[in-house]
């Protein structure tokens, strides 16, 4: 190792001043090739033909660290490694003795403390390793040749020949029956998984399932807790999430609806839809016709129904027609009436399929 | 000889006797990696994935992918006695009753966000420096595949806790499947096992999340890394760096120490986030219920652009002879991402055939300003993406900044159409003017501040020529001269076409007509080929 | 015992250390769990008519310009007949009334009146206009409900607008559901009772007083008492703030680290 020689970097840096006299014209760098050919070889390193390496800079630190500097660097790195011990000890202590369960006081500290100590442990080792490389390992500029990725023309030709020869030996070209039957057999085999694929789903009555909900004629409107809704329970300006009073009615994903009460003169429905209401009470599906999110944000003054997922906005006073957003269809309306005990009941299923559109929907 | 050394020698000899691995090991240890901070961005993704595997395995020991109903009896008081799915109950159990379970969950979730984010950052680096060019197109395509897989994996994981948020996400996903023409309802029934929500959703998502998709990611990552290894890493131009060499530090010990240390640093950042920043507090969302929703229901950030495109889409739906075509869902959630990812995967070939017309192999990277069209395409695409991403959060923005959600939506609708072209033009102009300023530096040097009086009485400012290594950075002469024709290292180039691939297009836009970026005479004098220690033919044929 | 004490002591030290770390950390905003102080519990005035009388004085000076001398309303404000005491408590104790400039929606403001004065005005309006009344004037009493029931009802009825954690959310055309952290038990209860502005009204036949108390308890618990077991809550806006932190904190930190590693020593 020749310590006295200036490094390439230094020589490069000094070069421009030499050129300054030449007027600093537009000449692109003429970094001389020799800068890189005069590479430094470390006598102790393996020979070049074994490593495929050359070095553009002398091996060893950019400049020799003084013993004090070297000691200080070593101390820094060691301190970081030891920090990991602190982190792990802290982590174990918190982990073992911390109050981790939620019903105890100070639990809010448990996870943050674990995180801090864990990070300390990880940062110690990580930063130590990096700093070790940065401060104490030689800053080499190793140069390695790239090998050609493409094969030579001969090799390509030889490979092509081998492929062709194999084909010829298999006689595929001259035996069309073999080829044809292989194609058929292989194709048939490829279809074998398809039945299994179909086994993944139960497709019986697919369209009926998609097109209908749990609502039927005479089914009561119940709340999530199962209690039926009676006429007069809702004030004007109120809204209630309702479900069909059938088996698992509150769990059916296509059936949830909103019972809304407004003053009868505010409700502007036309035709049949007007008869589906009861004294200012109107029921719409709360499953968005766009992508199925619950449309439950009801503004009682504007009668807007708003979907929080994609911001489709429906006007509940006007048949839940779309007034903003990506939904294309109004929310289906459920015809309701009141039974002899004063409870709300459905007159039948929704006016049309609830939820997102699908191809066969019509 | 110490005992340790003796032991190591013995072990090494024993292995080499059986595998003959010395040559391979030595060559691997001596492998040179170019040193640049931006080459470590992909490592973040790799390390995040390893951390995901570690934390995910731990979580899988406690998680139950079941929709069966149980009554919660853990230590989170507000949900005590509430009926919920086993999946949700087990997630609560991990969060509150497994020691250190919450931090595992949080590190896992943060790692998922950072996994996709670091893939995105890495992808931008690769794109803007042209690292995807021949011969690395296949690895680019694998990278795009990894991005898609990472997004799918994240989405599957997001849906597992079966809290209100994840259920809402699954519901939307099933709605998206239904919108596909002809086969939509079949696909949805096939994946869910029946009508939404079905009973199988969680089992299938779970298998996808812990086995199928991670396996695919692992496989793709392996191929990705093997190809980097085999093809060797790209490098930025600089003194002594040519198309035919790699300049940097060897794998062992410097690179290994840095890269290994970096793994722990990434893990440390994730541990800090997992400990100090709450992520997905499932206990607040409550168990999934098809009739419930929370304001501001959002996907994780990497799905956000799809949420945004869906929100901004006009409500186009068509009814054709008894069939429904929901373009309002299909276009933003199926067609658009399909086109984006396909175009992204094909970009290396699109660029080589239509933009730069440069089909040669490259190992030296571009500076973004040197390929204005590519850079402009990238920035325009990013603009589009970011507009959609903002769209995905427009309700939270409206809520925090007290603006009308409808106004934001309209502004974003317009921006996602006019924004990208504007970004394209601006970026291209910025690139070209940066080129011009580089050219000025190159030709006239740095202004020294020293004023000199000429014999004629004229005052001129003296300039100092740029130091050589910077000059090499500023001119792509080296890179262009040496682009490898057919991968053979044969510099069969045409002097007229040398210099800047973009030069003909940019003439007269920001640069005076008739002044090309690099004049041939100057290029000749460079003799970059001679820089190579290998002595490969690289100098221009005379 | 001694060792337990030491551990406990050390844990305390760790705790104080962690507090400093948490405060220093840039990881999101750590929302301190203290909102507006609870309204002082106010004994019902011994003499109800006295309160009505005082309330009338306050009404005539502060409210009648817009709402009319006899609660009949006017160009500046709606009629107050039938709104009831709960509406007064909601509007005045949250500072929404008296109204400042005309905005899309009455915003929360610093409260202008003493709680006792608000109660007097409420008594006056209740006596003269009628309408839904608060079952109690006492914050503690109004929040005395079943936490689990409250949670279930909150998720069914409230979370859709006010968000899962009561952080509020956007509605259509500039309207919004406010965050619930700064709302006292009285204000929360009164809001359900009176259905102010966009908010639907929840009468006693729909949500019983017991259920409303449960919801109030849950909201107070959620916004005031509950700890964040996993670190800073990041505003509890859901995945948006998490994504932002992932990029602004996570990716920035990691890219910073690559710069450090890549830089020459």
């Amino acid at each position: 190792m020749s310590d006295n020689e200036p490094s390439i970097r230094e020589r490069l840096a000094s070069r421009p001043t030499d050129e300054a006299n030449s007027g600093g014209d537009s000449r692109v760098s003429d970094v001389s090739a020799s800068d890189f050919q005069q590479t430094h070889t470390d006598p102790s390193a393996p020979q070049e033909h074994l490593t495929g390496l050359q070095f553009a800079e002398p091996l060893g630190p950019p400049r020799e660290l003084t013993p004090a500097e070297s000691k200080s660097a070593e101390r820094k790195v060691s301190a970081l490694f030891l920090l990991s011990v602190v982190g792990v000890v802290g982590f174990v202590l918190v982990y073992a003795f911390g109050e981790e369960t939620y019903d105890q006081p100070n639990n809010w500290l448990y996870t943050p403390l674990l995180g801090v100590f864990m990070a300390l442990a990880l940062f110690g080792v990580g930063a130590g390793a990096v700093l070790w490389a940065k401060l104490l390992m030689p800053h080499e500029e190793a140069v390695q040749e790239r090998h050609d990725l493409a094969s030579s023309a001969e090799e390509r030709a030889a490979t092509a020949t081998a492929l062709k020869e194999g084909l010829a030996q298999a006689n595929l070209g001259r035996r069309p029956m073999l080829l044809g039957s292989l194609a058929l057999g292989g194709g048939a085999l490829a279809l074998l998984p398809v039945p299994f694929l179909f086994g993944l789903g139960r497709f019986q009555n697919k369209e009926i399932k998609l097109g209908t909900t749990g609502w039927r004629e005479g089914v009561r409107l119940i709340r999530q807790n199962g209690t039926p809704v009676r006429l007069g329970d809702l004030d004007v300006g109120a809204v209630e999430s309702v479900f069909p009073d059938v088996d698992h009615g509150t769990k059916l994903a296509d059936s949830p609806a909103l019972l809304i009460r407004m003053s009868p003169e505010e409700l502007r429905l036309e035709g049949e839809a007007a008869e589906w209401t009861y004294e200012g009470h109107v029921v719409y599906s709360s499953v968005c016709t766009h992508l199925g999110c619950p449309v439950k944000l009801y503004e009682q003054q504007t009668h807007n129904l708003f979907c929080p997922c994609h911001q489709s906005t429906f006007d509940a006073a006007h048949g839940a027609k779309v007034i903003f957003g990506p939904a294309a269809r109004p929310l289906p309306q459920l015809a309701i009436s009141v039974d002899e005990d004063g409870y709300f009941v459905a007159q039948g299923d929704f006016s049309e399929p609830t939820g997102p559109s699908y191809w066969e929907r019509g | 000889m110490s005992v340790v050394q003796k032991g190591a020698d013995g072990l090494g000899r024993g292995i080499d006797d059986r595998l003959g691995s010395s040559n391979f090991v030595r060559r691997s240890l001596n492998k040179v990696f170019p040193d640049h901070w931006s080459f470590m961005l992909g490592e973040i993704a790799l390390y995040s994935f390893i951390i995901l595997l570690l934390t995910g395995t731990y979580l899988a020991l406690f998680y139950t992918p079941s929709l069966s109903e149980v009554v919660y009896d853990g230590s989170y008081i507000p949900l005590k006695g509430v009926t919920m799915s086993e999946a949700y109950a087990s997630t609560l159990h991990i969060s509150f009753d497994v020691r250190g379970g919450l931090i595992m969950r949080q590190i896992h979730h943060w790692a998922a966000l950072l996994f996709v984010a670091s893939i995105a950052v890495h992808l931008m680096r690769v794109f803007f420096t042209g690292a995807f060019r021949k011969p690395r197109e296949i690895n680019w395509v694998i990278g795009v595949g990894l991005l898609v897989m990472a997004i799918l994996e994240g989405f599957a994981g997001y849906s597992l806790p079966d809290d209100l948020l994840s259920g809402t996400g699954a519901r939307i996903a099933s709605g998206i499947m239904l919108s596909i023409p002809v086969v939509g309802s079949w696909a949805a029934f096939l994946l869910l096992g029946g009508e939404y929500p079905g009973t199988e959703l969680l089992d299938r998502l779970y298998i996808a999340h812990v086995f199928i998709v991670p396996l695919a990611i692992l496989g793709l990552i392996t191929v990705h890394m093997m190809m980097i290894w085999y093809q060797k890493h790209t490098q930025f131009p600089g003194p002594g760096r040519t198309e035919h060499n790699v300049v940097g530090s060897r794998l062992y010990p410097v690179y290994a120490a840095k890269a290994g240390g970096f793994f722990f640093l990434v893990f440390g950042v994730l541990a800090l986030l997992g400990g100090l920043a709450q992520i997905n507090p499932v206990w607040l969302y409550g168990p999934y219920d098809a009739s419930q929703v929370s304001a501001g229901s959002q996907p994780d950030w990497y799905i956000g652009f799809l949420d945004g495109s869906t929100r901004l889409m006009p409500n186009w739906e068509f009814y054709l002879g008894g069939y429904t075509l929901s373009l309002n869902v299909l276009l933003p959630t199926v067609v658009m991402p399909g086109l984006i990812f396909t175009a992204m995967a094909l970009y290396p070939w699109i660029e080589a055939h239509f933009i730069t017309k440069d089909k040669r192999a490259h190992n030296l990277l571009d500076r973004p300003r040197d390929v204005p069209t590519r850079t402009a395409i990238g920035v325009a695409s990013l603009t589009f993406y970011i507009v959609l991403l903002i769209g995905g959060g427009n309700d939270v923005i409206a809520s925090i900044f007290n603006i009308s959600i409808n106004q934001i939506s309209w502004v974003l609708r317009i921006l996602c159409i006019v924004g990208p072209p504007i970004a394209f033009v601006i970026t291209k102009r910025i690139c070209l003017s940066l080129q011009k300023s580089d050219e000025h530096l190159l030709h006239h040097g740095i202004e020294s501040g020293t004023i000199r009086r000429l014999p004629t009485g004229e005052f001129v400012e003296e300039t100092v020529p740029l130091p050589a290594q910077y000059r090499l950075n500023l001119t792509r002469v080296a890179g262009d001269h040496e682009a490898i024709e057919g991968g053979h290292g044969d510099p069969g180039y045409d002097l007229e076409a040398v210099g800047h691939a973009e030069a003909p297009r940019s003439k007269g836009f920001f640069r005076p007509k008739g002044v090309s970026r690099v004049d041939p005479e100057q290029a000749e004098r460079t003799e970059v080929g001679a820089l190579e220690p290998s002595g490969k033919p690289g100098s221009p044929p005379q | 015992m001694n060792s337990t004490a030491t551990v406990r002591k050390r844990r305390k030290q760790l705790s104080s250390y962690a507090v400093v770390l948490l405060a220093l950390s840039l990881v999101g905003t750590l929302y301190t769990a203290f909102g507006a102080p609870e309204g002082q519990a106010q004994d019902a005035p011994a003499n109800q008519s006295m309160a009505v009388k005082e309330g009338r004085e306050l009404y005539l000076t502060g409210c009648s310009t817009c709402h009319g001398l006899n609660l009949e309303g006017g160009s500046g404000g709606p009629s107050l007949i039938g709104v009831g005491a709960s509406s007064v408590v909601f509007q005045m104790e949250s500072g929404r009334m008296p109204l400042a400039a005309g905005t899309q929606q009455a915003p929360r403001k610093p409260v202008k009146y003493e709680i006792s004065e608000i109660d007097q005005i409420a008594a006056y309006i209740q006596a003269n206009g009628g309408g839904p009344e608060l079952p109690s004037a006492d914050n503690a009493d109004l929040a005395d409900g079943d936490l689990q029931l409250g949670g279930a009802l909150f998720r069914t009825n409230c979370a859709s607008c006010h968000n899962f954690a009561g952080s509020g959310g956007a509605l259509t055309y500039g309207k919004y559901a406010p965050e619930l952290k700064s709302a006292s038990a009285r204000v929360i209860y009164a809001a359900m009772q009176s259905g102010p502005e966009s908010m639907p009204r929840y009468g006693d036949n729909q949500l019983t007083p017991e259920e409303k108390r449960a919801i109030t308890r849950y909201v107070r618990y959620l916004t005031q008492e509950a700890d964040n077991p996993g670190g800073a809550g990041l505003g509890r806006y859901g995945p948006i703030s998490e994504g932002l932190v992932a990029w602004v904190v996570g990716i920035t930190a990691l890219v910073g680290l690559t710069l450090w590693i890549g830089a020459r020593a």
Side-chain angles (χ1 to χ4, degrees):
Chain A
M1 244 195 269
S2 45
D3 292 330
N4 302 333
E5 258 187 70
S7 74
I8 297 272
R9 200 162 287 277
E10 283 158 7
R11 274 187 283 150
L12 282 178
S14 65
R15 188 167 292 276
T17 37
D18 304 336
E19 285 181 357
N21 302 333
S22 68
D25 67 1
S26 63
R27 295 184 52 173
V28 175
S29 152
D30 56 352
V31 182
S32 88
S34 61
D35 285 348
F36 292 93
Q37 281 167 345
Q38 288 175 355
T39 51
H40 306 266
T41 35
D42 180 349
S44 66
Q47 291 306 299
E48 193 201 316
H49 73 275
L50 280 179
T51 61
L53 287 175
Q54 293 181 312
F55 295 94
E57 268 182 44
L59 284 169
R63 76 191 160 78
E64 212 50 57
L65 293 176
T66 64
E69 283 173 328
S70 158
K71 199 71 207 158
S72 138
E74 194 183 349
R75 270 197 219 104
K76 271 186 209 163
V77 175
S78 301
L80 281 169
F81 286 153
L82 290 178
L83 195 64
S84 285
V85 180
V86 177
V88 171
V89 169
F91 183 87
V92 170
L93 285 180
V94 175
Y95 187 88
F97 301 111
E99 299 154 313
E100 98 283 15
T101 48
Y102 196 70
D103 43 7
Q104 285 167 19
N106 278 341
N107 60 72
W108 66 273
L109 261 176
Y110 184 70
T111 301
L113 277 181
L114 284 185
V116 168
F117 283 119
M118 198 171 170
L120 214 57
L122 291 158
F123 278 143
V125 166
V130 171
L131 213 60
W132 188 357
K134 281 168 67 108
L135 295 181
L136 291 165
M137 290 185 195
H139 283 192
E140 61 184 24
E141 284 272 280
V143 182
Q144 196 164 40
E145 236 183 276
R146 288 176 192 274
H147 56 90
D148 281 344
L149 290 169
S151 321
S152 68
E154 289 147 277
E155 274 186 44
R156 284 180 183 179
T159 310
T161 313
L163 282 169
K164 278 182 205 148
E165 272 176 10
L167 272 181
Q169 280 169 358
N171 273 330
L172 269 186
R174 281 187 287 135
R175 294 190 197 276
M177 193 169 104
L178 260 183
L179 199 63
S181 54
L182 175 65
L184 277 179
L189 202 57
L191 290 176
L192 198 62
V194 174
F196 287 98
L197 209 59
F198 270 84
L200 288 174
R202 290 178 299 279
F203 301 98
Q204 297 87 354
N205 304 324
K206 174 165 64 76
E207 268 134 76
I208 297 172
K209 280 183 193 162
L210 281 171
T212 58
T213 69
W215 294 100
R216 291 187 294 275
E217 191 181 347
V219 167
R220 277 184 180 168
L221 279 61
I222 55 169
R223 301 188 178 91
Q224 189 133 34
N225 61 12
T227 56
V229 186
R230 193 203 287 264
L231 178 63
D233 279 358
L234 270 66
D235 293 345
V236 169
V239 62
E240 179 80 87
S241 299
V242 291
F243 306 84
D245 187 13
V246 296
D247 270 359
H248 305 291
T250 56
K251 298 283 166 197
L252 297 173
D254 54 8
S255 304
L258 279 185
L259 171 62
I260 296 167
R261 181 173 179 193
M262 52 187 99
S263 60
E265 64 269 21
E266 285 176 311
L267 197 51
R268 301 224 170 78
L269 296 175
E270 282 156 22
E272 256 189 320
E275 289 156 31
W276 294 343
T277 64
Y278 196 91
E279 291 179 5
H281 292 78
V282 59
V283 175
Y284 297 110
S285 164
S286 66
V287 187
C288 190
T289 56
H290 178 229
L291 279 168
C293 284
V295 188
K296 285 188 49 168
L297 287 72
Y298 175 62
E299 297 172 3
Q300 62 118 336
Q301 283 177 333
T302 55
H303 309 301
N304 285 348
L305 275 164
F306 179 68
C307 177
C309 291
H310 304 105
Q311 280 114 44
S312 297
T313 310
F314 306 86
D315 183 354
H318 292 88
K321 71 167 187 208
V322 181
I323 54 175
F324 186 82
R329 292 177 290 110
L331 297 168
Q333 190 182 344
L334 186 75
I336 51 162
S337 62
V338 170
D339 66 12
E340 59 269 27
D341 299 325
Y343 292 105
F344 283 107
V345 291
Q347 290 184 30
D349 204 344
F350 280 102
S351 51
E352 51 182 308
T354 59
S357 294
Y358 51 96
W359 180 248
E360 301 93 331
R361 193 184 153 276
Chain B
M1 200 185 264
S2 75
V3 182
V4 176
Q5 204 172 344
K6 244 186 203 164
D9 279 358
L11 186 67
R13 209 172 308 125
I15 293 173
D16 191 66
D17 281 350
R18 287 157 182 85
L19 298 171
S21 51
S22 273
N23 187 33
F24 172 74
V25 170
R26 188 188 65 251
R27 279 194 293 130
S28 301
L29 295 179
N30 279 327
K31 195 157 183 72
V32 172
F33 285 89
D35 243 347
H36 194 267
W37 64 269
S38 72
F39 299 164
M40 269 179 284
L41 298 173
E43 274 175 41
I44 303 177
L46 176 68
Y47 298 153
S48 305
F49 183 67
I50 294 170
I51 294 160
L52 281 168
L53 290 181
L54 293 173
T55 51
T57 306
Y58 189 76
L59 295 177
L61 299 176
F62 300 98
Y63 173 76
T64 318
S66 160
L67 285 172
S68 326
E69 287 191 345
V70 292
V71 174
Y72 180 68
D73 189 28
S75 40
Y76 184 64
I77 301 155
L79 287 174
K80 255 198 171 113
V82 172
T83 309
M84 57 181 64
S85 70
E86 251 185 293
Y88 184 59
S90 65
T91 313
L92 291 177
H93 178 72
I94 292 171
S95 305
F96 294 118
D97 296 297
V98 173
R99 259 179 197 277
L102 183 57
I103 196 168
M104 275 289 176
R105 248 199 67 220
Q106 299 203 138
I107 292 177
H108 190 73
H109 204 137
W110 281 119
L113 296 197
L114 285 179
F115 179 46
V116 191
S118 52
I119 291 178
V121 175
H122 172 59
L123 179 135
M124 285 189 252
R125 197 282 294 171
V126 169
F127 181 86
F128 286 113
T129 59
F132 54 82
R133 290 173 299 171
K134 191 179 175 183
R136 295 182 177 77
E137 302 99 322
I138 305 169
N139 231 12
W140 166 265
V141 174
I142 292 173
V144 174
L146 274 168
L147 174 62
V148 176
M149 286 291 168
I151 291 174
L152 285 177
E153 174 72 349
F155 182 77
Y158 170 92
S159 307
L160 287 181
D162 200 38
D163 61 317
L164 192 52
L165 199 57
S166 67
T168 305
R171 174 99 213 213
I172 293 171
S174 93
I176 290 170
M177 281 189 278
L178 284 177
S179 77
I180 301 169
V182 188
V183 296
S185 57
W186 293 91
F189 271 59
L190 199 122
L191 284 167
L192 301 173
E195 190 185 11
Y196 181 85
T199 48
E200 263 114 287
L201 177 63
L202 277 188
D203 297 85
R204 291 181 184 179
L205 279 175
Y206 184 61
I207 278 300
H209 183 74
V210 305
F211 181 68
I212 302 171
V213 187
L215 201 67
I217 291 178
L218 199 62
L220 287 176
I221 287 181
T222 311
V223 180
H224 200 69
M225 310 250 308
M226 282 168 67
M227 286 186 54
I228 294 168
W229 192 271
Y230 184 69
Q231 295 184 324
K232 294 202 172 82
H233 207 287
T234 50
Q235 59 191 352
F236 280 103
R241 297 174 183 186
T242 73
E243 291 284 3
H244 304 289
N245 68 10
V246 194
V247 179
S249 44
R250 281 177 294 170
L251 176 70
Y252 179 78
V254 175
Y255 189 84
K258 285 184 175 179
F262 191 38
F263 168 75
F264 292 102
L265 293 175
V266 173
F267 207 159
V269 168
L270 282 169
L272 219 48
L273 276 173
L276 298 179
Q278 196 169 74
I279 188 164
N280 197 16
V282 284
W283 55 92
L284 294 176
Y285 289 103
Y288 177 62
D289 184 301
S291 73
Q292 294 175 358
V293 74
S294 164
S297 283
Q298 311 282 359
D300 277 345
W301 80 264
Y302 43 82
I303 307 276
F305 79 108
L306 291 178
D307 206 35
S309 64
T310 313
R311 288 173 177 194
L312 301 184
M313 182 73 196
N315 60 347
W316 298 341
E317 191 168 79
F318 300 103
Y319 311 100
L320 323 150
Y323 295 103
T324 304
L325 182 62
S326 314
L327 291 184
N328 54 349
V329 179
L330 193 67
L331 284 185
T333 59
V334 181
V335 176
M336 184 207 70
L339 286 178
I340 285 181
F341 287 117
T342 310
M344 212 191 242
L346 295 179
Y347 183 78
W349 291 280
I350 296 173
E351 180 183 287
H353 281 83
F354 302 108
I355 298 169
T356 55
K357 308 237 190 316
D358 178 3
K359 292 168 194 164
R360 297 167 300 177
H362 295 270
N363 291 320
L364 287 177
L365 295 170
D366 289 325
R367 288 195 318 157
R369 69 184 62 171
D370 288 330
V371 195
T373 305
R374 176 200 300 148
T375 307
I377 288 175
V379 174
S381 313
L382 266 182
T383 307
F384 182 65
Y385 181 84
I386 288 169
V387 169
L388 294 187
L389 200 58
I390 295 172
N394 61 359
D395 48 346
V396 173
I397 294 168
S399 165
I400 292 178
F401 298 103
N402 220 340
I403 339 174
S404 158
I405 205 163
N406 306 70
Q407 284 168 6
I408 301 178
S409 298
W410 271 110
V411 169
L412 292 174
R413 278 174 180 177
I414 294 164
L415 267 184
C416 81
I417 293 167
V418 302
I422 293 174
F424 183 91
V425 173
I426 292 176
T427 310
K428 195 157 178 177
R429 284 181 182 232
I430 290 175
C431 285
L432 292 170
S433 58
L434 284 173
Q435 276 185 21
K436 206 184 160 200
S437 94
D438 283 355
E439 201 178 349
H440 183 84
L441 267 180
L442 200 63
H443 286 242
H444 303 286
I446 307 165
E447 287 164 4
S448 65
T450 316
I451 308 290
R452 190 155 58 98
R453 191 177 176 186
L454 298 181
T456 55
E458 194 187 347
F459 286 94
V460 291
E461 184 178 5
E462 286 197 349
T463 55
V464 179
L466 222 49
Q469 68 265 42
Y470 295 112
R471 265 194 269 170
L472 262 181
N473 287 345
L474 286 192
T475 125
R476 293 201 328 132
V477 181
D480 267 343
H481 271 254
E482 290 190 284
I484 308 155
E485 202 66 55
H488 274 283
D490 164 24
Y493 55 82
D494 173 10
L495 255 193
E496 289 305 306
V498 188
H500 206 270
E502 287 271 327
R505 284 162 186 268
S506 55
K507 262 187 206 167
F509 198 79
F510 256 106
R511 176 176 310 134
K513 274 187 182 140
V515 180
S516 83
R517 181 157 163 68
V518 176
D519 59 280
E521 194 197 347
Q522 174 188 314
E524 264 173 60
R525 269 186 265 138
T526 326
E527 293 188 88
V528 274
L531 289 180
E532 290 168 78
S534 66
K536 278 252 171 211
S539 56
Q542 300 302 315
Chain C
M1 278 304 104
N2 195 21
S3 69
T4 333
T6 327
V7 167
R8 195 149 291 218
K9 199 176 164 196
R10 183 172 307 154
R11 231 185 290 148
K12 269 198 182 136
Q13 286 168 345
L14 295 180
S15 308
S16 50
Y17 186 49
V19 170
V20 175
L21 269 177
L22 275 172
L24 288 176
S25 74
L26 289 169
V27 188
T29 323
L30 191 65
Y31 280 78
T32 41
F34 306 102
E38 299 268 332
Q40 300 90 330
Q42 185 74 22
D43 286 333
N47 192 337
Q48 188 64 22
S49 62
M50 188 65 197
V52 172
K53 207 173 148 236
E54 305 224 342
R56 187 182 134 78
E57 293 302 315
L58 289 164
Y59 176 84
L60 289 178
T61 36
C63 324
S64 60
T65 330
C66 298
H67 292 290
L69 290 171
N70 300 305
L71 315 185
E72 76 277 15
S75 57
S79 158
L80 297 184
I81 295 166
V83 300
S86 57
S87 191
V88 178
V89 169
F90 174 81
Q91 299 289 358
M92 297 189 70
E93 203 176 315
S94 66
R96 288 179 169 82
M97 291 292 147
L99 194 64
T103 42
Q104 173 68 269
Q105 192 170 322
R108 252 191 211 119
K109 292 193 303 292
V111 186
K112 283 265 169 63
Y113 288 79
E114 295 296 320
I115 301 290
S116 57
E117 293 173 329
I118 294 172
D119 282 336
Q120 286 161 354
I121 298 175
Y124 166 70
I125 287 174
Q126 187 68 40
N128 290 282
E133 210 174 350
L134 281 184
S136 159
D138 178 31
N139 272 314
D141 179 44
L142 290 176
D144 182 19
D146 183 77
L147 191 58
Q148 289 83 9
L149 174 69
L153 290 167
F154 180 84
R155 288 188 291 273
T156 306
N157 296 298
C158 320
S160 49
C161 297
H162 292 284
N163 141 321
F164 64 95
S167 312
L171 295 170
T172 65
Y173 300 99
K175 296 185 285 299
Y176 59 91
E179 51 87 12
L180 303 177
K181 200 180 173 69
S182 15
S184 66
R186 278 158 54 105
V187 168
I188 296 166
Y189 197 106
M192 289 187 274
Q193 193 85 300
S194 62
E197 301 197 57
S198 294
M199 180 165 162
R201 193 164 149 176
Y202 296 89
D204 283 348
N205 288 333
Q206 194 182 352
L207 286 175
T208 63
E210 184 206 353
E211 288 172 327
K212 282 196 206 105
R213 282 193 167 92
I215 292 177
T216 311
R217 162 103 178 88
Y218 183 73
V219 173
R220 292 298 292 172
Y221 174 84
L222 202 61
T223 56
Q224 309 294 331
E225 296 167 35
D227 291 328
N228 282 341
L234 311 182
R236 287 179 170 172
Y237 289 110
I240 291 281
S241 45
E242 294 161 6
L244 206 63
V245 169
W247 278 94
V248 174
V249 178
I251 287 292
T252 308
L254 291 171
V255 170
L257 284 171
T258 65
L259 284 165
W260 174 62
I261 296 171
R264 295 261 164 185

